[in-house]
Amino acid sequence: MLRSSAVRFSHFLPSLLLLLAGLAAAYVKDLNVFFTSLFNVLPTLVLLLGGAYCAVYRRQRELFLMLTVYIAYFLLDTQTDYYRDNGKVREDAAVVFHLVCLLLPLLFGLFAAWQERTHLFQDMVARFAVLLAFGSVALGLEQSYPQALLMWLSEIRWPALHGAWMSLIQMSYPVFLSAFLLLAWQYWRSPRPLHAAQLVGLLGLFWMLPKTFILPFTLNIMCSQVMLMIAAAVAHEAYQMAFRDELTGLPGRRALNERMQRLGRNYVLAMSDVDHFKKFNDTHGHDVGDQVLRLVASKLSKISGGGRAYRYGGEEFALVFAGKTLEECMPHLEVIRESIASYNIQLRNQENRPQDDQQGRQRRGGSGASSVSVTVSIGVAERVEQRTPEEVLKSADQALYSAKGAGRNCVMAFGQSRRGAVRMDSVAG
């Protein structure tokens, strides 16, 4: 549970930092010429760089989110520039501002929830069509019926729900709320850095709009920050794809190689392998095999003693203990080996899965489902003088083969005899 909470917090952290930085910058007074010039070009620069980044990686949802924010920025920036230069707003300022307050959360929520499920070109055409349709209708109404549109937008439809604190048109609040609930539900179903960035970005836009004509450069700063959140989320997910194993959620082989270069002088490496995994896969199927790998990974991720688990490949996992000795690590490895061996996996008919967690707990507690258990063998090696991390890992792998030869379901250190292996014979697999 704590690890899951930490992962979710890491999804939000970059966006929250960007949001806080944007809020702080918006309230700074008497900016010098450098920052004034920077904030004037920052949104366009972020769109060009971030949009190119998204286009290269074919992230069309993120690209259209940036484009939506930038269009809103361009429309409002034209109004704020006129206001700063002339000391008064343009004649169409109210209707343009109200349209942005209504359409920005609507399109942001729509594009954020619109996942890429079709051909890339068809998806791009469909998104452009939606953007063009909304833009064309809004522009046509604004040009043909400006006063009627302004009255319709600014009308208070629910007097009982209207508060003096509301600085936007009343209709924009349910649209913002609906978009927020939709994106919150999307994150709850599929926790991802992008979904977290969309939530935080929507909050930033909600804060920005009432301050557009009040705080200088609020529009420039917050629009830039929201687009940066989206670009940072793309980079975050690209990092996860490269360094994290999708099946188990553990850091992968590339992350292990990078960690091994920063271990220092004293460390212990361990290699763990699921016993008889190929036979288990052939007997119960690959779906159950994947379930076993996720179980083992979950157990290994909770190892105590300062260890960190990595998916090495197949049914093999690596454990890294930085700044530890072999004697300090062996008890923790034995605890995790026994924890895996004593855990029973309930096998259920995939066509008759429970509909909720309560039914699942009742079935697991019953006797109707068959159960299986797996064991792991672990080989351990400690760094000695003039040995590289690759050599230590190779020694741990050799110790793993020795543990297999000793009957499996045991922990064996490099150079240790079979007689000295830590093992539970009663559940050896």
Side-chain angles (χ1 to χ4, degrees), residues 396-416:
D397 197 46
Q398 293 176 4
L400 172 62
Y401 279 101
S402 298
K404 294 283 189 181
R408 296 180 172 84
N409 190 26
C410 61
V411 181
M412 181 171 287
F414 179 69
Q416 181 182 17

Side-chain angles (χ1 to χ4, degrees), residues 75-365:
L75 293 172
L76 294 180
D77 186 59
T78 303
Q79 301 292 338
T80 56
D81 283 347
Y82 185 90
Y83 176 74
R84 281 194 293 264
D85 295 339
N86 299 277
K88 61 179 181 179
V89 297
R90 286 174 40 168
E91 294 182 359
D92 62 344
V95 67
V96 170
F97 180 74
H98 293 336
L99 276 173
V100 171
C101 291
L102 180 65
L103 294 180
L104 177 58
L106 178 64
L107 289 173
F108 190 90
L110 175 63
F111 286 133
W114 186 342
Q115 299 184 21
E116 294 138 335
R117 297 185 181 277
T118 60
H119 189 275
L120 284 174
F121 180 75
Q122 295 175 350
D123 183 81
M124 182 180 66
V125 171
R127 291 175 193 268
F128 263 124
V130 170
L131 192 60
L132 184 62
F134 275 96
S136 300
V137 171
L139 179 62
L141 291 174
E142 191 273 332
Q143 293 293 320
S144 303
Y145 312 101
Q147 290 303 318
L149 179 60
L150 179 60
M151 292 180 61
W152 183 80
L153 289 170
S154 57
E155 180 184 352
I156 299 177
R157 290 169 171 77
W158 310 284
L161 300 177
H162 191 74
W165 55 271
M166 292 183 176
S167 50
L168 305 176
I169 57 172
Q170 193 181 54
M171 281 200 305
S172 68
Y173 289 95
V175 176
F176 263 108
L177 180 60
S178 299
F180 182 82
L181 293 176
L182 175 64
L183 299 185
W185 177 74
Q186 180 181 241
Y187 180 81
W188 180 78
R189 286 191 62 203
S190 177
R192 290 174 50 186
L194 172 63
H195 296 162
Q198 292 168 351
L199 271 172
V200 179
L202 187 66
L203 292 177
L205 296 174
F206 181 73
W207 174 87
M208 173 197 75
L209 288 172
K211 306 293 191 299
T212 299
F213 292 94
I214 301 175
L215 294 176
F217 299 107
T218 297
L219 178 68
N220 307 57
I221 294 170
M222 193 52 64
C223 285
S224 301
Q225 297 299 83
V226 172
M227 289 189 287
L228 281 173
M229 291 176 197
I230 298 168
V234 175
H236 192 172
E237 293 192 349
Y239 175 87
Q240 287 190 329
M241 291 175 63
F243 288 88
R244 190 166 294 276
D245 177 62
E246 183 177 4
L247 176 65
T248 63
L250 291 178
R253 181 80 166 267
R254 186 174 297 179
L256 173 64
N257 293 336
E258 186 176 278
R259 182 70 181 93
M260 286 169 57
Q261 306 308 314
R262 298 180 283 106
L263 284 175
R265 295 180 59 84
N266 300 313
Y267 55 86
V268 172
L269 301 179
M271 288 293 294
S272 174
D273 181 274
V274 181
D275 296 327
H276 299 299
F277 184 73
K278 185 179 184 304
K279 180 180 178 181
F280 187 92
N281 243 359
D282 294 340
T283 302
H284 300 286
H286 291 286
D287 289 340
V288 178
D290 289 346
Q291 181 184 349
V292 167
L293 292 177
R294 284 191 289 266
L295 164 69
V296 172
S298 175
K299 295 289 186 180
L300 292 177
S301 69
K302 299 179 177 65
I303 190 166
S304 55
R308 183 74 186 273
Y310 296 81
R311 173 86 183 274
Y312 191 77
E315 66 270 25
E316 287 189 309
F317 300 86
L319 296 156
V320 177
F321 295 85
K324 302 293 182 179
T325 64
L326 184 64
E327 290 73 17
E328 292 173 328
C329 298
M330 290 294 281
H332 300 286
L333 291 169
E334 170 57 19
V335 168
I336 205 70
R337 180 204 63 77
E338 186 174 352
S339 173
I340 294 171
S342 59
Y343 189 90
N344 289 324
I345 304 172
Q346 303 297 328
L347 301 181
R348 296 186 298 271
N349 186 345
Q350 295 296 320
E351 298 178 356
N352 190 28
R353 293 187 62 83
Q355 298 298 316
D356 53 42
D357 292 340
Q358 184 176 0
Q359 290 183 16
R361 285 192 295 269
Q362 291 174 350
R363 294 190 187 184
R364 285 193 291 270

Side-chain angles (χ1 to χ4, degrees), residues 334 337 375 406-410 421-429:
E334 170 57 19
R337 180 204 63 77
T375 62
R408 296 180 172 84
N409 190 26
C410 61
V422 180
R423 180 186 174 202
M424 184 183 292
D425 290 326
S426 60
V427 290

